Amino acid sequence: MSRKAFEEFLTSHEKNSQEAEVIDWDQQRDEWLAFIDQFYHSLEEWFQPYKDRGSLDYQYAPVQLTEDSIGAYQTKKMLVQFAQQNLQITPIGTMLIATKGRIDMEGARGRVQFILADRNSSRPANINVTIGAPPVNNSNPVNQPDWTWKVVLKDASRITFADFNEDNFFDALLEVVNA
């Protein structure tokens, strides 16, 4: 590559970098932390009757995550004890492909994933990757996803998503303790 071609390459890259949308990584992190709190709030509501009668207990432990662009940050994992079973419910991250974030629930017999996916999605979607600046097409605005928690269901041939609700959560919980 000649010096002139190299300079043109650098100039083009600088121009594309300046035109690229600036991402507020602090906002992305804070939004992710709010989704984690929302997830835990649901679990606390669902666990409350069992906690009140002493059948279940939980506490939180700090966990540090490190992600590209966001850097290191603190959040928490939930430790759940019931019927001689121990579960860990741990945030994995927000900078993941095709999802806004993931939390894993792990027990003695397995792991189940919960992801932030678009409300209308029921399975992984095709992903389009664009190298360089995306094409400008004002006649076809991109719809922003309506992020909601989903349970990832896996069988031998496919992956699907179920709504994150009380029944589906307790089905997933029983799966990881093999009850």
Side-chain angles (χ1 to χ4, degrees), residues 72-104:
Y73 60 96
Q74 284 286 124
T75 186
K76 59 189 175 184
K77 64 181 173 181
M78 181 184 257
L79 307 170
V80 185
Q81 306 83 36
F82 62 94
Q84 299 180 337
Q85 299 290 323
N86 293 303
L87 297 178
Q88 284 193 41
I89 302 171
T90 309
I92 302 304
T94 186
M95 302 300 299
L96 306 169
I97 295 173
T99 180
K100 180 76 170 165
R102 189 177 107 206
I103 292 177
D104 287 0

Side-chain angles (χ1 to χ4, degrees), residues 116-153:
L116 279 168
D118 185 65
R119 181 172 307 283
N120 298 320
S121 65
S122 60
R123 63 187 194 317
N126 292 335
I127 300 170
N128 294 322
V129 177
T130 303
I131 305 299
V136 176
N137 185 351
N138 294 332
S139 65
N140 226 354
V142 175
N143 292 332
Q144 292 298 317
D146 181 9
W147 298 115
T148 189
W149 286 106
K150 299 276 187 169
V151 182
V152 177
L153 305 174

